[in-house]
Amino acid sequence: MSQPISIYDLQGFDQLRRELRIDPQQVRQLRNRLLKHFDSDADVLAKFPASDQVRLHSLEVYRRCDSELDGASKLLFRTQAGMLIESVVLRIATGRTTLCVSSQVGCAAACEFCATGKMGVAQDLSASEILDQVLQAGQLLASEGRKIRNLVFMGMGEPFHNEENLYLAIGALTASELFHHSPAKILVSTVGIPDAMIRCARRFPEVNQALSLHSARQESREKIIPLAKKYPLEQLRRAIVEINRIQQKPVMIEYLMLAGVNDASEDADALIAWLQGLDVHVNLIPYNPIEDAPQLVATERPGRDAFARQLKQAGYKTTIRYSLGADIDAACGQLVKKENRTIQRHHATTLFKQK
Ligand code: SAH
């Protein structure tokens, strides 16, 4: 039998439809039920005549962790290459639901404070692996009577290091014949790769962007973000000017608060000076401690509040991110890394045995 056809392969589906003389309406219904309504696999396949010839998923659910504190769930998936990635479902009290997706396994940016960066080299996810996180999370939420409202590329990986697949995925997410998700409800978060940020704004002007700035002082930023050397603050600032011109909506500035690293009043002054004239929304992020960076300590609540006050007084929209799933975060963020290490070791032994 020929290879099953991926649900996102529009041409492949056309061919299958013609070969088997399937009514185009049935193909449309299959896609709509699955990608817009997130009906279960069994339901959609039962209504499709060639169900054995289609492939709905490219990821396998490995484990699900539900927060005991709030409405967050972490979904661990196994990729086609056998590695683990995670997506996070955030059921926010107001009823809005956000899904945070991964774009890579591991991350080459290797930021000091980030568990993914400590995993070692990155492997790109394919567009269908990115999309399947949305599909499977969407199905889980649909079974609870919920819908994904916001989609954020804030999971594992640097989206702009996997730029083509990111764009293919955004294209499919926003296409009316596929997911039909509003581009204005998608956000791409980046360590800061100026040319790619501008390309993304040109290609998807409605898609929101977030820059993980974390410091507006070149020297301090370089200490925690190795790529800061390659893409200096001045270049990032020029990129935001250009994006503001294209998008006419604020760019989100993410600022992780680290005690003694970037949280002094002078750091706030440097940030205020750097932001001058930009259309931005500042999001202060409480640091989630990771095993591999014992030297980094979170700024306490009063410090974060004082920093936020200073920014607000200077006229910048500032919010302090309320963190969900603190219990599963620590557990699973580290878990993916450990489990991937075991998988890699397992692969290595299998190879060794074959020799
Ligand atoms: N590579 C992209 C997206 C992934 S990280 C980026 O750099 O933006 C998503 C956000 O989580 C980024 O702002 C990142 O800096 C932040 N982050 C990483 N590790 C963190 C930690 N231990 N605690 C809190 N936020 C963290």
Side-chain angles (χ1 to χ4, degrees), residues 29-50:
Q29 277 174 355
L30 171 74
R31 275 203 204 103
N32 286 345
R33 285 192 184 110
L34 195 68
L35 307 178
K36 295 192 178 84
H37 302 289
F38 298 110
D39 289 353
S40 72
D41 291 0
D43 280 355
V44 297
L45 290 177
K47 295 183 183 110
F48 191 70

Side-chain angles (χ1 to χ4, degrees), residues 6-219:
S6 157
I7 188 78
Y8 310 113
D9 179 356
L10 301 186
Q11 278 183 342
F13 254 91
D14 245 14
Q15 204 178 337
L16 177 76
R17 183 179 65 68
R18 269 184 265 113
E19 272 168 25
L20 303 179
R21 296 172 193 278
I22 300 171
D23 183 350
Q25 181 65 13
Q26 285 188 295
V27 176
R28 268 197 298 276
Q29 277 174 355
L30 171 74
R31 275 203 204 103
N32 286 345
R33 285 192 184 110
L34 195 68
L35 307 178
K36 295 192 178 84
H37 302 289
F38 298 110
D39 289 353
S40 72
D41 291 0
D43 280 355
V44 297
L45 290 177
K47 295 183 183 110
F48 191 70
S51 57
D52 57 332
Q53 307 218 22
V54 302
R55 186 164 56 91
L56 305 185
H57 301 292
S58 49
L59 298 171
E60 193 190 314
V61 179
Y62 177 81
R63 190 176 302 170
R64 171 179 166 181
C65 316
D66 294 315
S67 169
E68 286 178 11
L69 302 175
D70 48 50
S73 301
K74 197 159 267 203
L75 302 173
L76 298 196
F77 293 107
R78 198 203 301 270
T79 68
Q80 281 158 349
M83 302 301 281
L84 297 184
I85 54 157
E86 58 187 35
S87 311
V88 187
V89 172
L90 301 161
R91 300 175 190 81
I92 296 161
T94 53
R96 295 181 187 176
T97 305
T98 295
L99 175 69
C100 172
V101 294
S102 295
S103 54
Q104 296 183 305
V105 183
C107 184
C111 299
E112 212 35 55
F113 45 80
C114 177
T116 311
K118 302 283 182 185
M119 276 176 61
V121 268
Q123 285 173 26
D124 289 341
L125 295 184
S126 65
S128 46
E129 286 171 331
I130 296 175
L131 294 170
D132 202 26
Q133 297 172 60
V134 181
L135 172 53
Q136 299 214 38
Q139 288 177 311
L140 165 74
L141 286 163
S143 70
E144 303 169 5
R146 283 178 178 264
K147 266 168 99 166
I148 300 169
R149 182 185 150 106
N150 298 306
L151 249 173
V152 299
F153 284 85
M154 281 194 184
M156 297 164 68
E158 168 49 42
F160 290 137
H161 280 166
N162 188 12
E163 204 177 342
E164 261 325 295
N165 290 329
L166 169 75
Y167 295 159
L168 284 172
I170 296 176
L173 289 168
T174 52
S176 59
E177 68 272 40
L178 297 170
F179 288 86
H180 207 195
H181 190 94
S182 163
K185 300 267 186 301
I186 297 178
L187 178 133
V188 177
S189 175
T190 175
V191 68
I193 300 175
D195 291 348
M197 293 168 73
I198 295 170
R199 278 196 294 274
C200 182
R202 292 208 174 111
R203 191 146 162 186
F204 299 104
E206 290 178 80
V207 168
N208 302 287
Q209 290 197 34
L211 166 65
S212 295
L213 187 68
H214 306 335
S215 175
R217 299 166 111 174
Q218 183 62 25
E219 203 186 322

